[in-house]
Amino acid sequence: MTVATLSGRARANVAFAPTDRGPPAQTPKPGAGAQISIRDLSKSFGSKKVLTSLDLTVPAGQFLAIVGRSGCGKSTLLRTLVRLEEPTSGAVMVGDGQRGVGRIMFQEPRLLPWQRVVDNVRVGLSKGLPTAESRAQAMDALREVGLADRAGDWPSVLSGGQKQRVALARALVSRPKLLALDEPLGALDALTRIEMQSLIERVWLEQKFTAVLVTHDVAEALALADRVVLIEDGRIALDVDVGLPRPRRRGSAEIGALEAQILDHLFSAGGRPSDDRPGLEPGPVEYEKAYA
Amino acid sequence: MKFDAKSLLAFVIPVGLILVWQALASVGLIATEVLPAPTAIVAAGWRLALSGELWTNIGISAWRAAVGLVIGGGIGFALGLTNGLSRLSERLTDPTLQMIRTIPHLAMIPLVILWFGIDETAKIFLVALGVFFPIYLNTLHGIRTVDSQLVEMGRAYGMSSWGLFSRVVLPGALPSIFVGLRYALGIMWLTLIVAETISASSGLGYMAMNAREFMLVDVVVLSILIYALLGKLADSIAKWLERATLSWHPAYLHV
């Protein structure tokens, strides 16, 4: 495992911010990150094993990216973090184990078409809040993603990128300690994608939550994450620290080198085309043959 | 609504037809006992309106339609919700309901007359039976086809069962429920016309059949036109409700 040795000492220093060192240690600031510890996690759907005794610890405030082929179990792992899936065996602990610590952003915006933009953001807040208060917080979150002027619009008039920004505002409005991102940029065009990446990086730097990004795009993982984990056949095959300073320059030599090494590992170890689109990726298969 | 040149186009043919009809009737090319002139029908309407007979009959028919719609539609809506939300309830009741659905409800008329005679209960029963199925089926379908990704989002964001129902499932099913309602309104008038024409002692259908006995063709045509107007009115109300509650829908976004 050559890449692991690259692990930079200079890991992004914001990662362990206030919870560890803040003076009033007994009251962690709302919005600060939650630590994740996963012990011996297995998940099966019927007879199909998706995750097999997986161990993973994510320190509070870290930006972790999970990469892997389609069907490798990376999304399932993410969904157990926000309790959309229950583990078949093993334990998943997020923060102090309370519900609602984490928020998830899906690949699709999943906005309620019958609610105005601001009310869609309010979905992320608890119902007990007075209306005026929750509207104010929702407007703050919309301002954060640059869409305050669209608060009164119906979601159907927004562009794809704007919808995902509303979904981001909805995920962030309750100041979660964990933000789970399930390939949220997969459906966006290249330029919007880069804008969204910067936006996510900016709010993460500001709010210091723990972020877990599932993606099939290794370059995206390296542009954003402190650490990249490669999942193969339901277990962790590679764990890389990315010690590059921020803001990272897209297409820099360091990123390129890391990307090449992760991709090499991906194609030499698995050696099979993606589950959900066999035959659609002739390139990678040939690449893999060259290394066989 | 705006009345510009384009929306006026829709009126060209109907108005033209009425003018031609009036002209042909005036010259005597259409016999009065076949089809009286439009003016004669308006006169008949005026006469009946003055005597109060018209309003009484419209009122009675509208009342029967409304009561039947509320009863049949209410039960259909409730069962559609229950069966949409509970698999157990669906397994229990849906096969029976689908079996009953294969009986054309108007085929029940002789039996209904035997059961209830020709008073109000018979007509309300038939209307309720007629409107039940479109509302039941479309409510069920609407709830079943609510985007499961939105439901999952609601669960992930901590919505309670009631929150999930009122904020995700019901609004998502609403377009389909309205389709059912508009379809039901058509069946409602159709059922009522048939029921009132066959057996009644009041109402628009009775007015038409009574006029037929006395060869009052103008009143017969008047009754038919009023039925059409009432149907149009009910449809417009449903359309308006649809617009008011589905303003988020891309199909209504030109507001």
Side-chain angles (χ1 to χ4, degrees):
Chain A
M1 201 175 286
T2 51
V3 189
T5 56
L6 285 174
S7 76
R9 296 292 130 223
R11 171 185 282 183
N13 37 16
V14 283
F16 298 98
T19 33
D20 301 37
R21 286 172 220 164
Q26 68 276 19
T27 51
K29 228 176 75 179
Q35 180 181 309
I36 302 168
S37 58
I38 297 170
R39 293 280 160 272
D40 199 25
L41 167 68
S42 294
K43 175 72 186 174
S44 325
F45 294 103
S47 60
K48 187 174 170 15
K49 278 205 142 205
V50 180
L51 297 171
T52 37
S53 57
L54 187 141
D55 288 296
L56 180 68
T57 303
V58 186
Q62 189 172 56
F63 200 128
L64 172 75
I66 305 176
V67 297
R69 292 163 182 279
S70 300
C72 71
K74 56 188 193 296
S75 279
T76 308
L77 174 60
L78 189 79
R79 290 162 62 88
T80 57
L81 295 180
V82 289
R83 297 216 184 161
L84 277 175
E85 307 284 355
E86 290 300 323
T88 308
S89 69
V92 175
M93 186 77 173
V94 178
D96 50 9
Q98 277 184 324
R99 263 184 188 276
V101 173
R103 287 291 190 222
I104 187 167
M105 219 180 133
F106 301 95
Q107 179 161 15
E108 316 79 22
R110 303 202 189 179
L111 304 178
L112 299 174
W114 41 87
Q115 307 245 290
R116 308 247 176 206
V117 165
V118 63
D119 295 318
N120 263 292
V121 176
R122 287 173 59 203
V123 166
L125 290 166
S126 85
K127 287 212 77 178
L129 224 56
T131 311
E133 173 76 358
S134 84
R135 279 190 73 91
Q137 289 189 20
M139 285 307 293
D140 284 346
L142 279 174
R143 220 164 281 129
E144 190 96 55
V145 299
L147 283 176
D149 54 329
R150 309 305 296 268
D153 283 338
W154 297 115
S156 57
V157 303
L158 301 183
S159 71
Q162 289 171 327
K163 284 181 190 163
Q164 267 313 24
R165 271 147 73 194
V166 175
L168 180 64
R170 178 180 64 191
L172 293 176
V173 69
S174 60
R175 297 271 159 168
K177 295 178 174 165
L178 163 69
L179 179 63
L181 302 149
D182 192 0
E183 294 195 38
L185 313 183
L188 301 180
D189 66 87
L191 286 177
T192 315
R193 223 180 142 110
I194 292 174
E195 276 173 18
M196 275 298 281
Q197 287 173 2
S198 324
L199 176 62
I200 289 174
E201 186 179 39
R202 182 170 59 79
V203 290
W204 171 72
L205 286 169
E206 277 169 21
Q207 302 190 9
K208 302 182 169 62
F209 47 79
T210 309
V212 180
L213 167 72
V214 158
T215 179
H216 54 254
D217 181 351
V218 177
E220 179 172 287
L222 289 168
L224 288 172
D226 295 326
R227 176 183 174 195
V228 178
V229 161
L230 170 64
I231 298 215
E232 236 160 35
D233 298 325
R235 52 180 89 237
I236 292 175
L238 196 62
D239 191 339
V240 188
D241 280 325
V242 187
L244 304 173
R246 295 172 192 273
R248 290 178 185 158
R249 206 161 49 79
R250 254 156 266 279
S252 72
E254 298 97 317
I255 289 187
L258 279 173
E259 183 177 358
Q261 274 160 340
I262 294 176
L263 285 175
D264 279 357
H265 195 281
L266 198 58
F267 292 129
S268 60
R272 61 186 168 85
S274 296
D275 276 358
D276 55 355
R277 37 184 173 166
L280 267 181
E281 294 175 325
V285 179
E286 279 165 25
Y287 189 67
E288 177 260 319
K289 271 183 193 153
Y291 277 76
Chain B
M1 231 204 260
K2 279 184 298 184
F3 284 102
D4 51 19
K6 272 182 193 158
S7 58
L8 284 178
L9 278 180
F11 293 93
V12 171
I13 292 178
V15 171
L17 279 177
I18 291 175
L19 289 178
V20 171
W21 172 11
Q22 178 69 45
L24 291 178
S26 309
V27 228
L29 277 171
I30 306 177
T32 330
E33 54 270 26
V34 175
L35 196 60
T39 43
I41 292 164
V42 173
W46 185 246
R47 200 176 66 232
L48 290 172
L50 280 183
S51 74
E53 200 181 329
L54 183 65
W55 307 120
T56 323
N57 285 323
I58 288 181
I60 286 173
S61 288
W63 181 80
R64 286 170 185 155
V67 173
L69 178 69
V70 167
I71 295 175
I75 300 174
F77 181 63
L79 267 173
L81 285 187
T82 322
N83 288 0
L85 298 170
S86 147
R87 291 272 168 193
L88 174 72
S89 163
E90 192 196 6
R91 285 214 187 88
L92 197 66
T93 58
D94 191 61
T96 314
L97 291 173
Q98 297 296 345
M99 215 167 63
I100 298 173
R101 191 167 74 94
T102 58
I103 305 170
H105 69 292
L106 291 176
M108 301 275 288
I109 289 179
L111 193 60
V112 168
I113 294 178
L114 284 176
W115 285 348
F116 303 110
I118 61 161
D119 67 354
E120 299 308 312
T121 327
K123 284 156 212 91
I124 289 170
F125 178 84
L126 280 171
V127 171
L129 195 63
V131 300
F132 170 84
F133 285 105
I135 290 188
Y136 166 72
L137 288 174
N138 284 288
T139 305
L140 179 62
H141 174 259
I143 287 189
R144 276 297 149 77
T145 50
V146 167
D147 188 349
S148 58
Q149 292 190 333
L150 288 183
V151 176
E152 189 184 68
M153 184 281 296
R155 279 201 296 130
Y157 278 79
M159 284 189 192
S160 60
S161 306
W162 167 248
L164 214 51
F165 174 73
S166 61
R167 295 174 81 180
V168 181
V169 176
L170 191 60
L174 214 51
S176 178
I177 295 173
F178 271 113
V179 171
L181 177 66
R182 288 180 64 181
Y183 196 75
L185 288 175
I187 293 191
M188 171 183 88
W189 289 117
L190 177 81
T191 311
L192 198 66
I193 294 164
V194 174
E196 284 186 345
T197 311
I198 290 174
S199 62
S201 51
S202 60
L204 280 171
Y206 166 77
M207 189 171 94
M209 288 315 279
N210 205 33
R212 180 196 57 107
E213 304 236 329
F214 297 101
M215 292 294 284
L216 297 170
V217 191
D218 49 357
V219 177
V220 174
V221 177
L222 178 73
S223 314
I224 294 169
L225 290 180
I226 289 175
Y227 265 129
L229 282 178
L230 286 175
K232 178 70 192 155
L233 181 71
D235 197 58
S236 301
I237 293 173
K239 240 182 176 167
W240 174 82
L241 269 177
E242 207 172 352
R243 247 167 217 283
T245 53
L246 301 184
S247 51
W248 54 270
H249 201 281
Y252 299 95
L253 268 188
H254 44 75
V255 198

